[in-house]
Amino acid sequence: MNESQQLRTLAIDIGGSGIKVMVLDLEGNPLSDRQRLKTPHPAKPKDVIETIITLAKPQEFDRVSVGFPGVVQNGLIKTAVNLHSDWLNYDLATSLTQILSKPVKVANDADIQGFGAISGKGVELVLTVGTGFGSALFVEGKLVPNLEMGHHPFRKGETYEEQLGRAALEKDGKKKWNDRLEKAIANLDHLFNYDNLYIGGGETKNIKFDLPPNAKIVSNQNGLLGGIKLWTN
Ligand code: BGC
């Protein structure tokens, strides 16, 4: 094995309820178990970064990929609806580069989940159902960054995230949540006419209806595995 094949990437997935890490090899295969700690509350930059430091400390790595649950542009956080308003305009890439003394790339969490899930052919849409409602769009493997479908109107004067986020699932129950998700998928198919839809996120375990043939559930682990693509795309 040459030196470059030994390059280790620490993949970090910052979620509304958990922060997960895993070390990946150059092909994106896991070199460590997945480790998880609860997202601190309030989830201000300082608290989240402390949790990341705790998770990163026992790991050996050369560079870092971070999935963040909001709009990310050039390492800068532009939205963080489910974390804390202190994140707005926070330069997470620069700050973590200084703290961890390694190169760091940051992208939207659903975009990274998508990189881990897609085939790279045709139009592919990725949705994530967890604390929030994530979305990512790819054309021939090329990402359209920060799609943010979650905050668009869906039905009854509410957004996709208001109807399908974890708070709605807990408040309105699994039956309504499933009915809504089925409607959302039909809507989005009409909008994007995608070849394939991938659905990830912690709440996929609650999906009880038969998905259309062009849709499938993917492992939430893609939110970490896809991190390798930030260095190749
Ligand atoms: C954020 C998205 C994110 C999604 C899933 C939404 O609230 O706006 O950027 O991908 O939650 O975490």
Side-chain angles (χ1 to χ4, degrees):
M1 201 190 282
N2 66 34
E3 207 182 304
S4 70
Q5 279 168 323
Q6 290 163 8
L7 204 63
R8 297 165 72 98
T9 304
L10 180 71
I12 305 176
D13 183 7
I14 303 175
S17 61
I19 300 177
K20 295 134 259 175
V21 303
M22 191 186 242
V23 179
L24 308 175
D25 72 8
L26 256 193
E27 274 86 49
N29 303 308
L31 290 173
S32 77
D33 289 338
R34 189 188 85 135
Q35 302 294 333
R36 180 187 191 275
L37 286 174
K38 278 193 180 151
T39 305
H41 285 287
K44 293 186 182 190
K46 180 179 147 290
D47 308 294
V48 169
I49 284 172
E50 265 169 31
T51 305
I52 290 175
I53 293 170
T54 308
L55 285 162
K57 214 167 219 159
Q59 307 294 344
E60 247 182 75
F61 55 92
D62 308 292
R63 59 187 187 178
V64 184
S65 295
V66 187
F68 185 87
V71 174
V72 183
Q73 282 168 337
N74 303 318
L76 272 194
I77 304 305
K78 291 295 176 184
T79 70
V81 179
N82 293 308
L83 293 180
H84 195 279
S85 56
D86 279 9
W87 282 100
L88 302 188
N89 289 316
Y90 187 84
D91 190 343
L92 181 56
T94 301
S95 156
L96 273 184
T97 303
Q98 283 160 4
I99 292 165
L100 299 174
S101 308
K102 304 281 185 227
V104 177
K105 291 198 184 194
V106 187
N108 173 263
D109 57 353
D111 290 353
I112 293 189
Q113 175 96 20
F115 279 131
I118 58 163
S119 72
K121 294 201 177 70
V123 176
E124 298 181 279
L125 183 69
V126 181
L127 300 176
T128 66
V129 285
T131 307
F133 184 89
S135 53
L137 182 64
F138 296 83
V139 185
E140 300 296 335
K142 189 116 183 73
L143 172 70
V144 179
N146 296 308
L147 179 65
E148 292 297 310
M149 188 52 61
H151 303 294
H152 278 252
F154 171 37
R155 58 192 285 277
K156 305 219 160 165
E158 291 194 335
T159 63
Y160 285 88
E161 182 158 305
E162 285 167 330
Q163 289 255 305
L164 287 161
R166 184 170 296 123
L169 173 62
E170 283 168 1
K171 179 171 156 282
D172 300 327
K174 289 185 189 174
K175 166 86 178 72
K176 281 195 178 159
W177 184 86
N178 270 277
D179 291 348
R180 291 171 185 173
L181 187 58
E182 206 167 359
K183 283 188 189 130
I185 290 172
N187 267 8
L188 295 171
D189 197 1
H190 284 304
L191 177 61
F192 291 105
N193 294 294
Y194 47 72
D195 296 292
N196 288 301
L197 170 68
Y198 306 93
I199 310 171
E203 299 303 345
T204 48
K205 59 180 182 290
N206 289 310
I207 296 179
K208 298 293 178 230
F209 57 93
D210 290 333
L211 293 172
N214 60 352
K216 68 172 181 189
I217 294 173
V218 294
S219 161
N220 205 24
Q221 194 142 301
N222 288 318
L224 289 164
L225 300 181
I228 201 71
K229 296 282 165 55
L230 299 189
W231 297 93
T232 51
N233 277 59

